[in-house]
Amino acid sequence: MVTEFILVGFSNFPRHLLPAFFLLYLLMYLFTLLGNLLIMATVWSERSLHTPMYLFLCALSTSEILFTVAITPRMLVDMLSTRRTITWTACASQMFFSFTFGFTHSFLLMIMGYDRYVAICHPLRYNVLMSPRGCARLVSWSWAGGSIMGMMVTLIVFHLTFCGSNVIHHFACHVLSLLKLACGKETSSVTLGVILVCVSALMGCLFLIVLSYVFIVAAILQIPSAEGRHKTFSTCVSHLTVVIVHYGFASIIYLKPKGPHSMDSNTLMATTYIVFTPFLSPIIFSLRNKELKNAIKKSFQRKFSPLSS
């Protein structure tokens, strides 16, 4: 019975590059935390931002912070460590929290797409459909759905018996890398089931987001003025950009052909995805969202104008 695992994702990575990537990822990690906390603090302090769209943005920032905290600190420590082991319990916990916050992030992106659909396609019913109680219910469902997915996948994987090698060819407790270590006749069917469940949930979210934007584009095209079309679509740009980044990076990593000696490149791409996508989100939302950008500027001016005077 395996009681701890050895993570070898960084073992073959060029050692002279590890300090540079450690510093880069550390800066991105800190910026991710500070950027998302800044968005949450701005939305909380500015009454003009107390709307459903920014409530969902706060929930999204929370999920990104928690997802990053669940994986990145351990990854950073292992980059400079010579003993990269993780206990069975810590591995299960990491998998649960990463799946929970990862799926919650996808569910929240889907709800934000629905919010834009209602705002643009059914503006007269927006206050009814997106009432404070309704928005709180949608956010709660997202967190509940993410928790159920995380719990289900973790229980399925760690219900298996790990009786062979304890070497995980990844920098974290990656579900597919772990399933390769399991023994028993049901391992192949469990692997297929886990893949189907995860892919179905993620593709379901993506399908509903795309469907929302099909209706949104159709509604925008009916607006007679070019200025009106541009102004309406600009409210969707930041969300759409984050969706493209989120699913685009994931597709590149998981759908690219696996070469016989591609472990180093896979590790580099996976670590970049884990750190870079949460790093980009606060930048995209703060730069592409004019209302949020102005609110952040106003908050800074209020805080620092007495000092400057």
Side-chain angles (χ1 to χ4, degrees), residues 8-118:
V8 296
F10 292 115
S11 296
N12 297 323
F13 201 82
R15 293 198 62 82
H16 66 283
L17 294 178
L18 281 175
F21 277 100
F22 170 83
L23 182 59
L24 176 64
Y25 291 155
L26 176 62
L27 291 174
M28 286 185 176
Y29 170 66
L30 295 175
F31 183 89
T32 299
L33 298 182
L34 293 175
N36 281 297
L37 287 172
L38 176 62
I39 289 175
M40 294 166 64
T42 303
V43 172
W44 180 267
S45 62
E46 293 292 328
R47 293 189 62 83
S48 61
L49 300 182
H50 292 180
T51 63
M53 181 172 71
Y54 293 106
L55 166 67
F56 298 142
L57 180 56
C58 274
L60 190 75
S61 293
T62 303
S63 70
E64 288 186 340
I65 288 173
L66 294 175
F67 176 79
T68 306
V69 169
I71 298 180
T72 307
R74 170 85 202 198
M75 184 189 79
L76 290 172
V77 170
D78 284 347
M79 288 183 78
L80 300 182
S81 175
T82 55
R83 178 177 170 78
R84 303 182 179 103
T85 59
I86 185 169
T87 64
W88 190 94
T89 304
C91 190
S93 300
Q94 187 185 71
M95 180 178 290
F96 168 72
F97 288 118
S98 61
F99 268 87
T100 295
F101 303 135
F103 275 104
T104 299
H105 186 271
S106 296
F107 294 149
L108 288 169
L109 285 176
M110 177 184 67
I111 288 174
M112 292 175 78
Y114 173 71
D115 172 73
R116 292 299 83 208
Y117 160 75
V118 175

Side-chain angles (χ1 to χ4, degrees), residues 149-179:
M149 290 295 297
M151 181 66 71
M152 181 172 62
V153 172
T154 304
L155 287 176
I156 290 173
V157 172
F158 283 88
H159 181 71
L160 298 172
T161 303
F162 299 96
C163 54
S165 172
N166 66 336
V167 177
I168 300 176
H169 291 277
H170 205 273
F171 63 87
C173 289
H174 188 258
V175 60
L176 295 180
S177 301
L178 263 172
L179 287 170

Side-chain angles (χ1 to χ4, degrees), residues 198-259:
C198 295
V199 170
S200 298
L202 293 174
M203 289 300 102
C205 291
L206 181 60
F207 171 76
L208 291 174
I209 292 171
V210 171
L211 188 63
S212 297
Y213 276 100
V214 168
F215 288 112
I216 287 170
V217 170
I220 289 175
L221 291 176
Q222 294 177 6
I223 299 174
S225 68
E227 183 182 354
R229 290 194 295 270
H230 178 268
K231 186 177 179 181
T232 303
F233 187 71
S234 66
T235 63
C236 306
V237 171
S238 55
H239 171 256
L240 189 57
T241 305
V242 169
V243 169
I244 292 171
V245 168
H246 178 69
Y247 281 95
F249 267 90
S251 301
I252 292 171
I253 291 171
Y254 292 106
L255 299 181
K256 81 178 187 70
K258 299 287 189 296

Side-chain angles (χ1 to χ4, degrees), residues 8 12 52 99 137 147 180 282 305:
V8 296
N12 297 323
F99 268 87
R137 192 179 296 122
S147 301
K180 291 177 182 178
S305 58

